[in-house]
Amino acid sequence: MLLDAFDILLTTGFWVAAIRIASPLIFATMGELICERAGVLNLGIEGIMTVGAFTGWFTVYAGGDLWTGVMVAALCGAMFGLLHGFLTVPLGLSQHVTGIGITLLATSLTYFTYRVALSESTSPPKIEPFQPYPVPGLSEIPFLGETLFMQTPLTYLAFITVGLVAWVLYRTPLGLAVRAAGENPVAVEAQGISVTAIRVGAVMVGSALMAIGGAFLTMSAFNSFFFEMINGRGWICIALVVFGSWRPGKALLGAILFAAFDAYQVRLQQVTGGVIPYQIFLMLPYILSIVALIVVARRASYPKALMVPYQKGER
Amino acid sequence: MRLEPKPAPSMAVTLLYPAMAILATFVIAAILVMIAGAAPLQVFGLVIKGAVGSQFALVETLTRATPLIFTGLAIAVAFRAKLWNIGAEAQLYAGAVMTIILGTGAIAAPAGILIPIIIVGAMTAGALLLLGPAILKTRFGVDEVVTTLLLNFIFLLFVSLLLEGPLKDPMGLGWPQSERVVAEARLPRIIQGKRLHYGFILAIFSAIAVWLIMAKSVLGYEMRAVGHNPEAARFAGIPVNRVLVKTALLSGGLAALAGVSEVAGLKGNLTLDISPGYGYTGIVVAMLALLNPLGVVISAIFVAGIFVGADAMSRSAGVPSYISDVMVATALLSMVTAIMLTRFRIRWR
């Protein structure tokens, strides 16, 4: 049995699943990272992912094509980001309370809309989701090709997003302004740049990415929308941002590690064959997130102005 | 735009903005009702009728308000000290589990002894569940928002495990449910034949007790000081971490009472769906009450009325009952905005 448990790690199927499970987490983690780097905690993440999952899927169900669905999801996510940004940045409301409020609002609005739009159907209708797209050439590489380059286009987009976020944050003046807004907003204002604009903009872009993460679930991983399908993934992403020390590369690594662990527990469940209650396995990802937080907490370097509202002209 | 502090607002202003927040909530709900193809005034009429329109409706609203008073108090206490306890849902279930462990025959005692034992046991369980995140916060600086949120998922899975294992009802036909508590462990009904039970009375007394603690005791003063400005509190010699831990114990214990009340008062046994998110709704209840323990009673009845009324309306008017969740979330966001507007003036420049 021990050998079986180890053998899992050597199968390509396992790693293909791990990358697939990681994809929505990568989008949402990058989204949260952008928000927090600009100084705004976004606890709306869980609800915004729900919105993305529904709107993306529903657009396709209503006749739109898949990429239109992704765009609609991102746009709807950005709208909730605008609301969170407006309430927390210029109005300076508690980021904790507002974020929880956004999650409650986004989730309940989604469920309400679902019931209004699909009052007749008892089981949620299915759509034709994104199909795996083998990258020419690269997918021929043994093992790596199969795990990394025979995924769906949204997974490739997730990895591209990480590179893009890292590049913008560390290599462009805009990224410098975003990071400074989260570290030293007075310095940003001194450059004649509006902290409010940078922060609200960052929350909108971040929320759009969270929504795409949600949309991945209904448009790539599965082909339908279920209630409570986000199931705490948003909260896990918040832990992943801390675990990744607010750096895109490290957060990506964290997401993949986490997803590998998640994929592993499902397979381990089958290997152990019901000796251990299945709930224990399902708990592990959440427990792992808490453990990860404890491990990094001591050396975590929060963006210094995270959760600190900024008022123009205040020192 | 920028915010400027206002001089101490008049009573009228203090009430005007929250009233506008409630109005805004109903306007947004009206728009959604129209989208759903119904007439808003008729729907609101049905909601009010379903919430308070008959003795049955009123009793149902107070019954639904009972767990919300407990979770609302739990949140009000914690948020006052800026301890972000988002885990009241798990603490509620901890109280419910303890009620089953102690109340299904393990202890043979008359009701006058058994019920207090259950209450103390459940409060301890809820308090211990929040103690972990509180210590992680004070000792290691781990954000309690994420830990308490994740604990909700962990604990619900744990309850599921218990209900399919050690706490499973052997006569339950395979359903994940516990045995029923013994008659001595049941909180009696207030009116014979109606669902409202003594959990509601316990909730009222808890609210008064919490109000006394917050307004009159040293601990209450320290909690407010820590919530207002932890650095200043520390400078003034208040043991901030110890106050936070005490706050956590009180908050977790209060949330657990919601579990006692639902199991021993209403349902009689434990299933995985005894709480449709009372722990999260408690946040809204507490914020609508401006974190005032006595206000929690009123806001819990208001929120429960929306839920009960919307359920009744949904059956007759065909508007999805999720409208009540939307209204509650909207009320939360508009209320925090309203509170801000009573304290600050917006200058556009």
Side-chain angles (χ1 to χ4, degrees), chain B residues 139-287:
Chain B
R139 283 286 167 83
F140 300 98
V142 180
D143 187 39
E144 74 278 20
V145 174
V146 187
T147 48
T148 52
L149 273 168
L150 291 171
L151 265 177
N152 288 341
F153 292 86
I154 295 171
F155 200 82
L156 215 64
L157 285 163
F158 178 64
V159 175
S160 157
L161 189 156
L162 290 178
L163 290 181
E164 288 178 17
L167 292 185
K168 186 178 177 144
D169 180 8
M171 314 299 281
L173 302 170
W175 289 100
Q177 64 181 41
S178 77
E179 281 182 61
R180 301 188 72 79
V181 293
V182 295
E184 290 81 11
R186 288 301 295 260
L187 301 174
R189 300 283 152 102
I190 295 176
I191 314 165
Q192 207 55 44
K194 297 277 188 294
R195 272 157 44 99
L196 190 63
H197 51 84
Y198 268 84
F200 182 70
I201 307 287
L202 182 64
I204 302 287
F205 276 109
S206 302
I208 296 169
V210 171
W211 177 76
L212 284 174
I213 293 173
M214 294 306 293
K216 308 285 176 199
S217 76
V218 175
L219 176 63
Y221 168 76
E222 289 178 335
M223 281 160 65
R224 278 178 286 134
V226 169
H228 189 67
N229 187 339
E231 274 74 45
R234 189 170 284 124
F235 191 70
I238 293 174
V240 173
N241 284 350
R242 217 183 304 163
V243 171
L244 282 174
V245 168
K246 283 182 194 165
T247 307
L249 295 175
L250 182 58
S251 175
L254 284 166
L257 284 179
V260 176
S261 152
E262 286 303 280
V263 169
L266 192 62
K267 303 283 171 66
N269 68 349
L270 175 59
T271 53
L272 269 177
D273 57 0
I274 58 160
S275 167
Y278 289 138
Y280 301 102
T281 313
I283 298 170
V284 184
V285 168
M287 292 310 294

Side-chain angles (χ1 to χ4, degrees), chain A residues 13-31:
Chain A
F14 164 74
W15 287 103
V16 172
I19 297 295
R20 185 180 63 235
I21 295 170
S23 303
L25 301 176
I26 294 171
F27 279 119
T29 304
M30 288 306 127

Side-chain angles (χ1 to χ4, degrees), chain A residues 176-264:
Chain A
L176 181 64
V178 169
R179 284 185 292 134
E183 294 283 345
N184 188 355
V186 176
V188 177
E189 207 72 57
Q191 293 294 312
I193 304 168
S194 160
V195 174
T196 307
I198 291 286
R199 284 188 170 175
V200 174
V203 175
M204 288 178 72
V205 172
S207 300
L209 287 178
M210 294 169 190
I212 297 177
F216 182 93
L217 292 173
T218 49
M219 303 174 67
S220 189
F222 307 105
N223 56 3
S224 199
F225 176 83
F226 305 99
F227 283 27
E228 285 167 37
M229 76 185 301
I230 305 300
N231 204 13
R233 282 184 179 86
W235 313 132
I236 285 167
C237 290
I238 290 185
L240 284 174
V241 172
V242 181
F243 180 74
S245 311
W246 290 268
R247 291 175 162 275
K250 278 190 177 174
L252 169 70
L253 201 68
I256 293 175
L257 267 177
F258 180 88
F261 185 82
D262 202 14
Y264 189 68

Side-chain angles (χ1 to χ4, degrees), chain A residues 96 227 278-279 297 311-312, chain B residues 2-3 84 145 160 164 322:
Chain A
H96 283 113
F227 283 27
Y278 69 95
Q279 290 97 340
Q311 282 292 306
K312 200 169 169 180
Chain B
R2 47 178 282 126
L3 305 174
W84 305 108
V145 174
S160 157
E164 288 178 17
Y322 287 106

